[in-house]
């Protein structure tokens, strides 16, 4: 039996970050990854020869800047390409809306639909900025325990409360942000539907919810707590695709002495007298360690990898009841030319190609798509969030060619009829035809595609229910209730076993905070 200080199950970005921080603390660390490539959902793969796709995660902003500095990731090739404008929304009537980091340009764009909204937008962004200042520090540590009597925990709760109180009258929209719907928040600020639907897509990304669903305002807010190259709120592309970020973390880990084994699936976590003591792989190899970290989701960790009788029934029921509902479909396309939009013509790289392209013209359009999904029917007119990273990064495709990422909703994991193996290509073509309505000739430009259904996400990437966040980002599954109440500090009922994936605080997205926070908590516990 091979012996280590810590074993990490899964080489997703959070697992790799955890490995780095443990190694920096002088620990002997082993990372075991099922697939032949590191990165989990943050990977770059050449599915079609010559075209490199960010297969699942496709843009970056949330990855914590202090982790980039601590691990010197830029020395390992990590580079961000900021996008300006950030988004382009074409409408069926030929109009369009650009939004980005340029406030004057935003004003002019929004004024086409509402002068009042143009004036309100800068105030809205400023309000979000003040709320970010309150909540962003909570990303970088375990959530406080509201039941603890320890002075340090009480002080942390008090500090958070004072920060919220410091918002003054904005405390009320802040509380609505945490629990309310995105549509209500946006209705309070704006009147033009063109602006509201553009902003609303961030509230439903990866969620089985519509903008009118309570809790979606926080998902919208979650997506503004980031930065690119020091500029807050700006999203960008990772040069070389999202896998370049994961590879930079893996390179840093190896230089710190971490051993990474790919193609090595963990079958079970070894437990002795209630203490995690190592893992067994599907090939029968056993590895002993003083701590075990699972980068897998909570259901996989607790219900699949542990002995059946190890957990007390109340905790098991809490894990079984977690919401992993999903309606996400990912389509990666190889193109022989850029789309030529009716709303903003041009085949040469332009502002309409650099940011996120939103195909979701009205709230009623979104609601119809969502209602169909609730019935187990893939949306007949889905919502598309499209990016063309090759418009800024020519290394991703042959000269003159491009790669496009379509993040599609709604594609329910549970279907009323048929299977995703049968419906995959039909739904992919539905998305392609929809884009062709906005950019005639688009269908003919498609060289090939890689379609990933919710079922594929579960089978290939171990995302329970196809949920990209390792569990819904709803108020009852956030902060000190993530994954479940009483167990939000990365520790588990099994001594020596920690969670370090997106199923923990602060949740989904490519942040790295879950892995870093888990490593810090384990180091604080000591390695006995």
């Amino acid at each position: 039996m091979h012996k280590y200080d810590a074993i990490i199950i899964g080489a997703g970005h959070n697992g790799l970050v955890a490995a780095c921080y443990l190694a920096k603390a002088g620990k002997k660390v082993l990372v075991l990854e099922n697939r032949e490539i590191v990165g989990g959902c943050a990977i770059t793969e050449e599915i079609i020869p010559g075209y490199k796709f960010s297969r699942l995660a496709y843009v970056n902003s949330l990855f914590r800047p202090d982790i980039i500095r601590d691990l010197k990731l830029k020395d390992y090739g990590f580079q961000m390409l900021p996008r300006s404008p950030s988004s382009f929304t074409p409408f069926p009537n030929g109009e369009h809306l650009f939004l980005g980091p340029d406030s004057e340009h935003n004003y002019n764009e929004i004024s086409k639909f509402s002068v009042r909204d143009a004036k309100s937008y800068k105030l809205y962004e400023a309000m979000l900025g003040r709320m970010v200042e309150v909540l962003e520090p909570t990303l970088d540590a375990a959530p406080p325990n509201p039941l603890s009597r320890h002075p340090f925990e009480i002080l942390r709760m008090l500090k958070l409360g004072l920060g919220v109180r410091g918002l003054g009258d904005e405390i009320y929209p802040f509380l609505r942000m945490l629990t309310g719907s995105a549509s209500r928040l946006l209705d309070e600020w704006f009147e033009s539907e063109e602006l509201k639907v553009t902003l609303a897509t961030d509230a439903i990304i990866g969620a089985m919810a519509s903008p009118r669903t309570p809790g979606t305002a926080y998902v919208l807010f979650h997506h503004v707590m980031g930065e690119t190259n020091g500029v807050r709120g700006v999203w960008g592309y990772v040069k070389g695709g999202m896998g370049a970020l994961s590879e930079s973390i893996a390179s840093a880990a190896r230089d710190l002495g971490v051993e990474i084994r790919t193609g090595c699936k963990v079958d079970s976590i070894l437990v002795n007298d209630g203490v995690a003591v190592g893992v067994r792989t599907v090939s029968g190899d056993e590895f002993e360690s003083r701590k075990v970290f699972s980068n897998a989701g909570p259901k996989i960790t607790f219900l699949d990898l542990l002995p059946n009788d190890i957990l007390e029934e109340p905790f098991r029921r809490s894990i079984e009841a977690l919401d992993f509902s999903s309606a996400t479909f990912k389509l990666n396309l190889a193109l022989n030319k850029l789309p030529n939009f009716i709303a903003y013509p041009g085949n040469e790289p332009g502002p309409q190609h650099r940011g996120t392209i939103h195909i979701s013209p009205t709230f009623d359009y979104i609601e119809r798509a969502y209602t169909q999904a609730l019935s187990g029917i893939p949306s007949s007119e889905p919502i598309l969030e499209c990016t063309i990273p090759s418009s800024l990064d020519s290394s991703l495709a042959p000269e003159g060619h491009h790669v496009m990422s379509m993040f599609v909703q709604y594609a329910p994991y549970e279907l009323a009829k048929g299977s995703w193996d049968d419906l995959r290509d039909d739904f992919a073509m539905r998305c392609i035809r929809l884009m062709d309505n906005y950019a005639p000739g688009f269908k003919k430009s498609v060289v090939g595609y890689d379609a990933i259904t919710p079922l594929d996400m579960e089978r290939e990437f171990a995302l329970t229910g196809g949920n990209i966040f390792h569990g819904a980002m709803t108020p009852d599954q956030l902060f000190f209730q993530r994954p479940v109440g009483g167990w939000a500090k990365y520790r588990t009922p099994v001594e020596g076993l920690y969670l370090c994936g997106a199923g923990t605080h602060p949740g989904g997205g490519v942040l790295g905070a879950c892995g870093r926070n888990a490593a810090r908590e384990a180091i604080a516990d000591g390695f006995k």
Side-chain angles (χ1 to χ4, degrees), residues 32-362:
L32 300 175
E33 167 57 38
N34 174 35
R35 301 186 77 226
E36 295 293 341
I37 183 174
V38 301
C41 296
I43 54 173
T44 304
E45 290 190 279
E46 192 172 331
I47 302 300
I48 298 170
Y51 300 86
K52 298 175 183 178
F53 299 125
S54 293
R55 288 197 70 202
L56 285 183
Y58 53 101
V59 288
N60 184 50
S61 171
L62 299 175
F63 196 79
R64 306 304 294 146
D66 53 332
I67 298 178
I68 296 172
R69 291 190 295 269
D70 287 350
L71 304 184
K72 299 181 175 63
L73 296 186
K74 292 182 180 179
D75 292 347
Y76 294 97
F78 172 63
Q79 182 181 348
M80 286 296 300
L81 303 174
R83 309 181 309 167
S84 182
S86 302
S87 70
F88 166 65
T89 308
F91 296 100
N93 63 1
E95 295 183 306
H96 70 270
L97 173 65
F98 284 112
L99 291 177
D102 186 329
S103 59
E104 183 177 351
H105 188 246
N106 289 339
Y107 184 91
N108 293 334
E109 284 290 305
I110 298 169
S111 292
K112 296 185 301 187
F113 304 101
S114 167
V115 173
R116 195 196 85 173
D117 286 0
K119 294 177 180 177
S120 298
Y121 186 69
K122 190 171 184 178
L123 299 174
Y124 167 79
E125 286 197 310
M127 178 199 71
L128 292 182
R130 290 188 289 273
M131 292 180 179
V132 166
E133 289 178 3
V134 173
L135 272 191
E136 189 178 32
T138 69
L139 303 180
D140 297 320
N145 181 354
L147 299 179
S148 175
R149 295 184 178 181
H150 192 284
F152 179 68
E153 291 290 274
I154 295 172
L155 182 62
R156 291 183 66 205
M157 290 292 291
L158 178 62
K159 185 177 180 180
L160 179 59
L162 289 173
V164 174
R165 185 179 175 85
L167 291 171
D169 290 343
E170 288 180 345
I171 191 173
Y172 303 112
F174 176 77
L175 295 175
R176 288 196 296 275
M177 177 75 75
L178 297 182
T179 60
S181 70
S183 63
R184 180 182 174 186
L185 172 74
L186 295 172
D187 284 344
E188 288 184 12
W189 277 91
F190 309 115
E191 61 184 5
S192 63
E193 190 161 36
E194 291 85 354
L195 175 60
K196 289 189 288 186
V197 294
T198 297
L199 299 175
T201 54
D202 275 348
I204 58 173
I205 216 66
M208 182 60 153
S210 84
R212 295 178 176 132
T213 305
T216 51
Y218 176 77
V219 181
L220 186 155
F221 182 63
H222 184 77
H223 283 85
V224 303
M225 289 193 289
E227 63 178 62
T228 294
N229 297 340
V231 182
R232 184 175 292 284
V234 173
W235 286 72
Y237 301 121
V238 178
K239 185 173 177 58
M242 291 297 290
L245 170 58
S246 299
E247 289 292 347
S248 71
I249 307 170
S251 295
R254 292 187 182 100
D255 279 355
L256 289 166
V258 174
E259 181 181 348
I260 302 173
R261 299 193 185 192
T262 58
C264 196
K265 184 177 181 179
V266 172
D267 175 72
S268 57
I269 297 170
L270 303 176
V271 180
N272 185 11
D273 291 333
V275 179
V277 295
V279 302
R280 179 184 294 112
T281 67
V282 293
S283 62
D285 292 326
E286 293 188 356
F287 300 90
E288 181 182 345
S289 65
R290 293 191 283 168
K291 307 281 188 186
V292 176
F293 294 77
S294 178
N295 195 35
K299 279 194 174 181
I300 292 174
T301 301
F302 294 116
L303 305 184
D304 296 343
L305 297 181
L306 285 172
N308 291 330
D309 59 349
I310 198 70
L311 300 172
E312 294 185 1
E313 193 58 27
F315 181 84
R316 174 178 284 274
R317 286 199 304 269
S318 295
I319 296 299
E320 290 173 341
L322 286 173
D323 180 9
F324 283 83
S325 56
S326 174
T328 298
F329 185 97
K330 181 73 191 298
L331 186 58
N332 300 302
L333 301 120
L335 309 176
N336 61 24
K337 63 180 179 180
L338 288 167
N340 185 9
F341 292 98
I342 296 172
Y344 200 94
N347 278 124
E348 294 302 313
Q352 72 274 36
H353 302 120
R354 292 198 291 266
T356 299
I357 302 157
H358 299 283
I359 306 296
S360 53
T362 66

Side-chain angles (χ1 to χ4, degrees), residues 14 139 141-144 146 206 218-219 222 296-299 302 315 318-319 322-325 463-464 467-492 499-509 511 514 517:
N14 276 309
L139 303 180
Y218 176 77
V219 181
H222 184 77
K299 279 194 174 181
F302 294 116
F315 181 84
S318 295
I319 296 299
L322 286 173
D323 180 9
F324 283 83
S325 56
L463 296 173
T464 302
N467 189 285
I468 63 172
F469 297 136
H470 283 200
M473 299 278 286
T474 48
D476 61 324
Q477 292 185 184
L478 288 173
F479 205 44
F480 44 66
Q481 297 190 97
R482 192 169 186 88
V484 295
W487 295 100
K489 289 182 174 290
Y490 312 97
R491 300 164 183 83
T492 73
L499 295 183
C500 65
T504 64
H505 171 77
L511 290 88
C514 302
N517 295 352

Side-chain angles (χ1 to χ4, degrees), residues 297-493:
K299 279 194 174 181
I300 292 174
T301 301
F302 294 116
L303 305 184
D304 296 343
L305 297 181
L306 285 172
N308 291 330
D309 59 349
I310 198 70
L311 300 172
E312 294 185 1
E313 193 58 27
F315 181 84
R316 174 178 284 274
R317 286 199 304 269
S318 295
I319 296 299
E320 290 173 341
L322 286 173
D323 180 9
F324 283 83
S325 56
S326 174
T328 298
F329 185 97
K330 181 73 191 298
L331 186 58
N332 300 302
L333 301 120
L335 309 176
N336 61 24
K337 63 180 179 180
L338 288 167
N340 185 9
F341 292 98
I342 296 172
Y344 200 94
N347 278 124
E348 294 302 313
Q352 72 274 36
H353 302 120
R354 292 198 291 266
T356 299
I357 302 157
H358 299 283
I359 306 296
S360 53
T362 66
F363 270 114
D364 286 343
Y365 178 102
I366 296 174
E367 201 67 30
R368 285 195 302 271
Y370 171 63
T371 301
Q372 287 180 305
L374 284 178
S375 301
I377 302 169
S379 303
S380 57
E381 292 183 296
I383 294 113
L384 307 182
E385 278 217 357
C386 309
T387 57
I388 310 175
S390 54
S391 63
L392 293 177
D393 183 0
S394 61
S395 71
L396 299 176
E399 185 176 356
H401 289 224
H402 290 273
V403 293
M404 173 185 273
S405 165
M406 282 190 182
F407 199 82
V408 184
Q409 291 184 238
Y410 296 91
Y413 172 80
E414 295 184 3
L415 294 169
K417 186 178 180 180
S419 74
W420 271 117
D421 288 332
D422 297 329
L423 297 179
R424 179 188 294 105
D425 290 323
D426 286 344
F427 192 69
M429 291 308 300
R430 184 180 305 173
C431 298
I432 292 170
R433 287 193 297 269
L434 177 58
M435 180 58 74
D436 202 74
N437 293 337
Y438 289 81
F442 177 79
K443 182 180 176 181
K444 292 181 180 179
S445 74
V446 176
V447 175
Y449 64 81
D450 165 46
I452 307 173
T453 72
L455 184 59
D456 296 324
M457 293 180 193
E458 182 173 77
R459 290 188 299 205
E460 187 174 355
F461 297 95
L463 296 173
T464 302
N467 189 285
I468 63 172
F469 297 136
H470 283 200
M473 299 278 286
T474 48
D476 61 324
Q477 292 185 184
L478 288 173
F479 205 44
F480 44 66
Q481 297 190 97
R482 192 169 186 88
V484 295
W487 295 100
K489 289 182 174 290
Y490 312 97
R491 300 164 183 83
T492 73

